[in-house]
Amino acid sequence: MTSPAPLAERIAAARPAAGSLAAWWLGGSGFIFKTPAGRQVWIDPYLSDVVKTMFGVARAFSAPITAAEAAPDFVISTHWHEDHLDPGCIPELARRQPTAKFIMSPGAMAHAVSWGLSPRQITTIVPGQTLDLGDVKLTAIVARHEAGVPGWEVPDAFGVVLDFGGVRVFHTGDTDYDARIHRAVAATPLALATLCINGSVGNMNAHEAALLAWQLDARTLIPHHHLLWAREKIPAYETLDPNLFADTYRKLGGAAKVILPTVGGGYTITAGGAVPN
């Protein structure tokens, strides 16, 4: 069996048909979407190992693409925590892609500007706002990401619904379970919903994520934020097995397809759902 081409080559070669998207998981909470027009929308890319430097927690795997290889048109950071607004890659992306637009919360902007990003490259957004980016509309969705770590609270964290001409994707970002989320999204038909499941530092656990998923009108589900950090001991309260999310969702009666992602894995998304490549 031959190994897949490097991710950067697969992204460059992808030619999504009309009415579809190409997508890839970067690990953590990071996703890339490519439109039929060739535009790339990146969400929460964490490509460095800066959290090891800051907190002693290393990556569990190498980043599947480097900032030098990346070619985003839009980069969305759902909050300013380092694994979502990466100080090891965001400034480099901004330098290498001067026409790229960076979309983030006001709190995240304060960090990004201090790293040298031009305010002209940044658009801020808060829950309830919608941005029209041409072939994609972006709506910020409420999130409740109470990290419980002094100095690292993020009251302006958000999730996002991306509407690619009727192919809609909901990305939770980092959040605890909150009924305001499903009230904001439940009436929106989704091709894909991606949900954090790790259950620590202000995030849903696998059971809570399954409940939220059950309350959505989604064709496909992908859990995330369960495979990023290398740890010798996993706290008992963390729910890092994506099968736990899938099993709980099925017990609730959920009928959507659940995809357990692989780092660098690719997907084709239409209004009818997502399928692995």
Side-chain angles (χ1 to χ4, degrees):
M1 183 175 178
T2 60
S3 298
L7 179 55
E9 294 181 12
R10 287 183 279 135
I11 295 171
R15 300 290 186 271
S20 73
L21 302 170
W24 299 266
W25 186 47
L26 295 172
S29 295
F31 290 86
I32 299 170
F33 301 95
K34 187 174 183 180
T35 72
R39 296 211 291 180
Q40 295 182 32
V41 179
W42 290 47
I43 300 179
D44 290 340
Y46 178 62
L47 305 183
S48 75
D49 202 12
V50 70
V51 174
K52 179 181 179 181
T53 302
M54 297 178 68
F55 300 106
V57 182
R59 299 181 62 101
F61 54 87
S62 298
I65 191 171
T66 67
E69 297 170 317
D73 296 285
F74 301 102
V75 180
I76 303 164
S77 294
T78 59
H79 58 289
W80 67 259
H81 286 166
E82 287 76 13
D83 55 327
H84 298 259
L85 185 77
D86 181 358
C89 84
I90 293 294
E92 184 174 356
L93 291 178
R95 289 193 300 271
R96 291 178 177 274
Q97 303 292 327
T99 62
K101 303 299 182 184
F102 293 79
I103 300 165
M104 60 187 70
S105 67
M109 180 178 179
H111 288 75
V113 170
S114 75
W115 302 334
L117 272 73
S118 168
R120 291 187 297 274
Q121 281 186 282
I122 300 171
T123 299
T124 60
I125 193 169
V126 297
Q129 289 186 330
T130 296
L131 298 176
D132 189 339
L133 306 178
D135 53 354
V136 56
K137 289 184 178 179
L138 179 161
T139 300
I141 303 298
V142 64
R144 182 168 60 88
H145 187 37
E146 298 175 355
V149 180
W152 264 263
E153 299 299 354
V154 279
D156 56 3
F158 61 88
V160 63
V161 170
L162 300 173
D163 187 342
F164 298 90
V167 180
R168 299 180 188 90
V169 176
F170 171 47
H171 176 69
T172 62
D174 279 6
T175 185
D176 281 314
Y177 179 85
D178 193 309
R180 293 175 299 169
I181 300 172
H182 71 75
R183 287 200 294 264
V185 182
T188 303
L190 301 168
L192 172 66
T194 70
L195 303 100
C196 60
I197 68 165
N198 59 303
S200 64
V201 198
N203 281 346
M204 295 182 288
N205 63 32
H207 305 292
E208 294 164 329
L211 176 60
L212 177 60
W214 176 74
Q215 293 167 321
L216 302 178
D217 180 8
R219 301 294 177 267
T220 315
L221 307 169
I222 294 181
H224 65 80
H225 220 314
H226 58 281
L227 180 64
L228 183 55
W229 310 120
R231 297 179 179 175
E232 293 181 1
K233 295 182 179 180
I234 303 298
Y237 54 80
E238 291 201 345
T239 56
L240 302 183
D241 182 355
N243 288 288
L244 182 59
F245 165 79
D247 292 345
T248 304
Y249 177 70
R250 294 292 176 227
K251 290 176 181 177
L252 289 170
K257 177 171 62 177
V258 179
I259 297 175
L260 306 185
T262 58
V263 176
Y267 310 91
T268 297
I269 308 173
T270 65
V275 294
N277 294 336

